[in-house]
Amino acid sequence: MALKMVKGSIDRMFDKNLQDLVRGIRNHKEDEAKYISQCIDEIKQELKQDNIAVKANAVCKLTYLQMLGYDISWAAFNIIEVMSASKFTFKRIGYLAASQCFHEGTDVIMLTTNQIRKDLSSPSQYDTGVALTGLSCFVTPDLARDLANDIMTLMSHTKPYIRKKAVLIMYKVFLKYPESLRPAFPRLKEKLEDPDPGVQSAAVNVICELARRNPKNYLSLAPLFFKLMTSSTNNWVLIKIIKLFGALTPLEPRLGKKLIEPLTNLIHSTSAMSLLYECVNTVIAVLISLSSGMPNHSASIQLCVQKLRILIEDSDQNLKYLGLLAMSKILRTHPKSVQAHKDLVLQCLDDKDESIRLRALDLLYGMVSKKNLMEIVKKLMTHVDKAEGTTYRDELLTKIIDICSQSNYQHITNFEWYISILVELTRLEGTRHGHLIAAQMLDVAIRVKAIRRFAVSQMSALLDSAHLVASSTQRSGICEVLYAAAWICGEFSEHLQEPQQTLEAMLRPKVTTLPGHIQAVYVQNVVKLYAAILQQKERAADTQAAQEVTQLLVERLPQFVQSADLEAQERASCILQLVKHVQKLQARDVPVAEEVSALFAGELNPVAPKAQKKVPVPEGLDLDAWINEPLSDSESEDEKPKAIFHDEEPRHAKQRPPEADEQELARRREARKQEQANNPFYIKSSPSPQKRYQDAPGVDHIPVVQIDLSVPLKVPGMPMSDQYVKLEEERRHRQRLEKDKRKRKKRERERRGARRHSSLHTESDEDITPAQRVDIVTEEMPENALPSDEDDKDPNDPYRALDIDLDKPLADSEKLPVQKHRDAETSKSPERQDIAVVEKKSKKPKRKEKKHKEKEREKKKKEAEKGADLDFWLSTAPPAATPAPEEPGVNAAVAAPKEEREEPRGEEQDAAEDGEQDLEKKPSKHKKKKHKKDKEERSKDQKKSKKRAPPREGEAEPVENGALDEEPLPPMSSYSLLAENSYIKMTYDVQGSLQKDSQVTVSVVLENQSSSFLKNMELNVLDSLNARLARPEGSSVHDGVPVPFQLPPGISNEAQFVFTIQSIVTAQKLKGTLSFIAKNDEGSTHEKLDFKLHFTCTSYLVTTPCYSDAFAKLLESGDLSMSSVKVDGISMSFQNLLAKICFHHHFSVVERVDSCASMYSRSIQGHHVCLLVKKGEKSVSVDGKCSDSTLLSNVLEEMKETLAKC
Amino acid sequence: MIQAILVFNNHGKPRLVCFYQRFPEEIQQQIIREIFHLVLKRDDNICNFLGGGSLIGGSDYKLIYRHYATLYFVFCGDSSESELGILDLIQDLVETLDKCFENVCGLDLIFHMDKVRYILQEVVMGRMVLEINMNEIVAQTEGQNRLEKSEGGLSAAPARAVSTVKNIGLLEIPRIINTGDLNIKVPNPSQFV
C-alpha cells in the first residue's frame, strides 16, 4: 500500500507537461480523439491533486486542448483555483485559461471578483498586468461594476505598463457598465496627453473607438485631437486620429475645412503608405461632408486621385486594392475626377487577383456615363465569356445589370441594346441570377413603353428557343427568364408579330418540366395571347382560324391540369373550362373576342417597392389592437410565395373599370410630369431647340426618334448587342454633326450680332440624345406618403448604451461604486490630501452649501462654454493666419476669472449669464480653451475630494468661482518674429514633445507679403554641436529642408521642422537661411532671408499636469536643486500672472492658495521643474526646484524677462 | 477593433487561436476551417485582404493575413483598423516572436503555444492594439520570464529536472516529426509605418 503511494507520487513527477501532450498528439495521428480523451482523463485526475503546480500544469494542457476545439468549461472552477495561486507562474496560466474559456455565461465567474481586485492592487506590476489582460477577455457587467473604480485608479499608476493596460480595458468596462463612462472620462481624456507614448496611444485607441460609435458626443474633443494630429509622430496614433476625424467631419463641416490643410501637408510629407492612405481617406470624407459650395477644393481632390493612382499602379497588390477601394469613395461625390482614370480601372479588370477585379467592378459602376456605357458593358461582356469560376461570373453579371439599371436607367440611351444584352446574358451557363435578368426584362418592358414592341419580339424568340435555356443540366437559375419572357409576351401580345407561333411555343409538352411557378405564368399568359389572337381573327372574320386556336388550347391545356404545382394546376383547370365555354359559343357563331380580352383590359402601373410601407396609417386606427381576440395559437398564416415582380398590386388596378379613373389618371400624369421635371435621375432631354420640339407631343406618347430599327430587327434569332454599339456610334456621330452645324450657324449669327460667347464645345453627357423616346414610368407612391426613410437603429446594438453626453458636468450621484469596507479614496492620486486639517473641521455645513451653489453656477457656464469653445475653435481662420488660438489648451491651465463669463455668441449662448462687458469679447475669446481645461481640473478636484478643506472665505473663494471682476488678459501668442523682408514674414514657435526625448518641433509660419508667387522654399540651418536639424534621409548636413508648400500672394502657411537637441540645460541660437524663388509677371528671382532661431530653455519644457500628492513627493525626495528670482513692480493680477507663466513657459498650476501657487512642468528629457510663485505687493517671487540647476536658473532668467514685461 | 487572431499551418491545423468574442468551441473550429479555406486558395502574390467569412463579424469585418513559409497569420479586424497598419503589426509580431524565441520556427509555435500567447497578450489586449514598440514588448516578456524563473526556486526543481530529462528527447523532434515546419522567413521590415 505504502509502496503504491510512493509510486503514485513518482508517477506524478512524470505527469505529462504541455510539450509531452503536444508530442503525444502528434504521435497518435490515427487515433487522435482517443488519445486526447485519455489525456483529458489524466488531466481530471491531476486536477484533483492538492499540489497547485500539478493543477497549473493540467490547466495549461487544457488551454491547448481548448485551441483544438475541446470544451473545457467543466474545469472553470479549477482554473479559478490556479488564478488565485500566489506565484506569478501559475497565476498567468490560470488567467490565460480563463481568458480562453470564460464568458458571460460562466457561473463561477462571480467568484473571481475579489481575487481580481487583489491582483489589481498587487505590488508586482506583472500580477496586475496579467489580471488586466485576463479581465479584458471575460469582463461581465457585474465585474465591470465592481472593479471599475479599481481600474480607474490604475489609470494613474506610476508604471506606464499598468497605465496603458488600465486605459485600454476601460473600453470594455464602458461597454459592460455604461454608467462608468462619465465618471471615468475626464481621466481618460487626461491620458491623451500622457508622457508615455504607449499610454497615449491606448487612450487614443479607446476614445477613437468610443467616438466611432457615437461621434456627436466627442465633437468637443476635436481641438485636442487636432493638436495631437499636428504634433504626434506616432503613425499608429495618427492613423487612429485621422480615422476618427473621418467619422467626425460629417457632423461638423467646419471641422473639415480646418482639417484639409494639415492633412494635405501630411499627404505630401509622409513616407508611410498606411498613413498616406488614411489621410486620403479622411480628406475624401471631408470633401464629401463639404461636397457643395467649396469650389476651391478641386486641388485636394486632384491630389487624392493622383496619390491613389500611384497606389493603384504600384506592383504591391495590397496598395492596388486599397487604392481602388478609396477611389470608389471619391467616385460617389466627384465622379468626374475619377472618370479620367477609366483606363486604369479597366486595366485592373484584367488583374489576376479576383478581389482587385471585384473592386474595379465596383468602381466601374460609378464611372459609366451615357457616353461610355456601351463600351464598358461590351468589355464586361467579354470578361463574362472569359471568366473562370461561376462566382466571379455571377458577380460580373450582377454588376452589368447594376451598372445599366442604376438610377432609373440613367445612362441607357438605347434600350434595344440593353434588351439584347439581357438576352445575351441568358446564354450564360449555370448562373444563379436568372431571376435578376428576369426582373430587369420585366422592369424595362413595363416602364419603357417604346421598347415593348422590340422586347416582345425578343422574348418570343426566347420562348421559341426555350429548350436551349432550360436544358435540364442548368435549369436551376436561368430558366427564370422564361417567367419574364412568358409574361411579357402575354401582357403585350398586341405587339406580337406571330402570336400563333408564340402560343404554340408556350404549349409545347417540354414546358411541363419547368418549375411550377413558371408553368403558372405560362398558363395565365397563354390565355392573354389567346385573347389577342381571337380578337385578331374575329376582326379578320376568320372564324375557322379562331376555332382552331381554341381547339389547340383545349387539346394542350390538360397537360398543365396534371401539373404537380398547385398554382399551375388550379389556373389550368379554371382556364380550360373557360376555353371550353368559349368553344361552345364559337360553335354557335357568337363573337367572343371582346369578352375574352375584357378579362385582361387595363394598363399596368409599376408600384414602388416601398409604396405599401409608406401608406400613412389613418387616424384612429390602431394596427396593433386585436380586431377579434385570438382564439388559439394553432392557426398559422399561410405564407405567400415570393413574387418576382410586385404584381399583386397591379392586378388590383386591372380589375378597376378604366373609365372611372380617366380624370384621376390625367391628374396623376400631370403630377408625374412635374415630378419628372424635378427629378435629376429622370432621363431628361437636353434643352436644344430640336428637343424642345420633340417634347411638344406630350411625354406619354411615344416613339419619336425612329432610327434604323429595321436592320437589327430583321436579324434572325438573337441580335448581337455589338451591332447596336456600332449603330449607336453612327447615330451619335450624325447627331454631333447636326448639332455642330447648328452651332456654327448660331455662332455666326452671334458674331454678326457683335456678341461673343466663349462657347467651348465639349461633349457632355447631356448632349447625347437617347435613341428611343425613353418613357420611364416612375414608380407610384400612395397619396400623402410619409416622406423620409427613418433608418431604424438596431435596439440591440451594444454601443447604443454608450451614447452618453460627456460634456455635461458630473452630478454628485455619478460615482463609480466603491467597496464600502475599503477606503478606496486614500490611494487615489487626484485628491488633495495636503490641505490643512484644522480648516477641515470648521464651517462644514456652510461650505457644503456654498460649494453646491458654486457647482451649479459652474455647471451652467461650462455647458454654454463647451459649445462655444468648439464653435470658436472651428470658426477661426486657417491655422497660419491666427497662430495664437492654434494651440488652444496646449500650454496653459489658468485663465483670468473674468473670462469665465461668456459673451452671448450664437444660439448656444442664450443661456449665458449677464454679459456686462462686450468690450472684452475679443481678448477673452482667445483664452477660452485654456481656462476650460483648468476649470475641468479644478471642478474635478472639487467633486472628488470630499475631505477637502474649504478655502478660507472671502480670500480664496473668488478664485474658485471666478465671479469677481478682474482685468482681462490680453491675447497671447507664443509665436514670435523670426525674420522679415519685403517678400516674406516668418514667425515661429518651439515645442518640445514628450515622446521623443531629444527633439523639439519648430513651427514656422511663413507669410507671403509680396505680390509674387513664392515657391521652392527651402530652409537651412547651420547645425551646432548641440542642435541639429532633422533632414530627410540621405541628405547631407549642408542640404536644406524643403518647405512642403508654395505660397501664393498674401497667403500664409505653417511648416514644421524637427531639431535634435543634445543638452537642453542652456538656451542657444542657430543661424539659418530661408531660400526661395519669387515669381511674378516680370519673371522669377532667387531670394533668401537670414534668421536666427532662438531655442530658449522654456521651449524644452512641456506642459504636464501633476497632482498635488505626486508634487509633494517630488519635493520631499530632496534630489532637486533650488534657485529663486524676484521681480518688482508688477501690477498685474495674480491670476493673469499665472496664466502668463503657464502660457509662455509651459507650466501647469498644481495648486493655488490665495496669492501663492505651486506650478509644475517637465522637460523633454524628463527633468522635473517645480515652482512656487508668491505675489507680494507689487512684486513677485519665484522659487524653483529642478533636477538640473543650470536648467533651472536659465528658466528662471527667462521667466524674469517675461514677468518684467508685465 | 480586432475580432480574432488566428495562426494555422498550411494544412489548417491551428497553432494559435485567439478570439476576442465568445464563440462556442465547435463554432471556433468551424471559423478556422472557413478562414483557412478562404486564404488557402489565394496565391501568394495577390492582395492580403479579404472580406470576413460568413461566420465571423459581418460586412464590417475583414481578414488581413500574411503567409510565412508554412504558417498563416490571420487577423480579423473591423473598419476602424487600418489594413496596412495591421499588416505591419503581423510583421512586427513575427519579428517579436523571432526575438523572443531566438530564430523562431514553426515548432516553437507548436510546443510553446502558451508562451506565444503571453507574447501576444503584450501586443493586443481586449480587441485593441496595446503596444507596437517591439523593444517594449520583448522587454516586458523577458521581465515576466525572469519573474517566472526566480519563482522557480526549490519547489520547481524536481519538475525542471524531469522536464530536462524529457527534453533530451525533444532535441530529436525535428528529425522524428519532419513536417517541414522550418524556419519562418522574416522578410525585410516592410515599407509601411
Side-chain angles (χ1 to χ4, degrees), chain A residues 43 107 132 189 237 407 425 724 796 938 1034 1036 1112 1116 1145 1184:
Chain A
I43 289 170
D107 45 2
L132 283 172
K189 204 167 123 191
V237 169
S407 38
L425 285 175
Y724 285 97
N796 296 326
R938 260 190 279 147
S1036 81
E1116 278 162 21
H1145 294 280

Side-chain angles (χ1 to χ4, degrees), chain A residues 15 19-20 23 26 67 69 88-89 92 100 126 161 164 205 212 236 243 274 317-318 353, chain B residues 29 45-48 78-80 110-111 117 122 129 131-132 140 144 148 151 166 170 177 193:
Chain A
D15 276 344
Q19 282 80 30
D20 299 323
R23 201 172 311 139
R26 293 174 68 109
M67 185 181 85
F88 172 72
T89 318
R92 180 154 80 152
Q100 283 281 72
Y126 291 127
Y161 178 73
K164 72 182 176 195
N205 244 330
R212 198 165 71 94
W236 264 93
K243 270 183 172 275
S274 47
Q317 298 285 321
N318 293 327
D353 187 346
Chain B
Q29 296 300 314
N45 55 2
I46 64 177
C47 82
N48 295 5
D78 66 9
S79 59
S80 75
I110 298 172
F111 286 101
R117 279 301 299 268
E122 298 300 324
V129 177
E131 183 63 68
I132 46 159
Q140 298 299 350
Q144 293 180 42
E148 195 174 294
E151 276 180 352
K166 285 178 186 166
L170 192 68
I177 295 168
V193 178

Side-chain angles (χ1 to χ4, degrees), chain A residues 379-413:
Chain A
K379 175 118 189 175
L380 290 179
M381 290 299 281
T382 59
H383 275 279
V384 171
D385 289 338
K386 282 191 292 187
E388 295 159 13
T390 48
T391 37
Y392 178 59
R393 206 167 45 193
D394 280 356
E395 189 63 32
L396 271 171
L397 191 153
T398 41
K399 267 283 135 46
I400 290 174
I401 289 179
D402 280 354
I403 286 174
C404 293
S405 64
Q406 64 176 308
S407 38
N408 260 342
Y409 309 99
Q410 188 190 2
H411 301 301
I412 295 184
T413 51

Side-chain angles (χ1 to χ4, degrees), chain A residues 346 349-350 361 364 368 371-386 396 400 403-404 417-418 421 424-425 720-727 729:
Chain A
L346 285 176
L349 274 185
D350 295 320
L361 277 180
L364 276 182
V368 290
K371 233 194 295 179
N372 61 18
L373 175 76
M374 287 185 166
E375 181 199 338
I376 289 181
V377 171
K378 187 181 166 194
K379 175 118 189 175
L380 290 179
M381 290 299 281
T382 59
H383 275 279
V384 171
D385 289 338
K386 282 191 292 187
L396 271 171
I400 290 174
I403 286 174
C404 293
W417 164 81
Y418 186 45
I421 286 284
E424 272 175 55
L425 285 175
M720 285 299 292
S721 54
D722 293 359
Q723 287 170 307
Y724 285 97
V725 178
K726 217 166 165 192
L727 280 172
E729 266 160 22

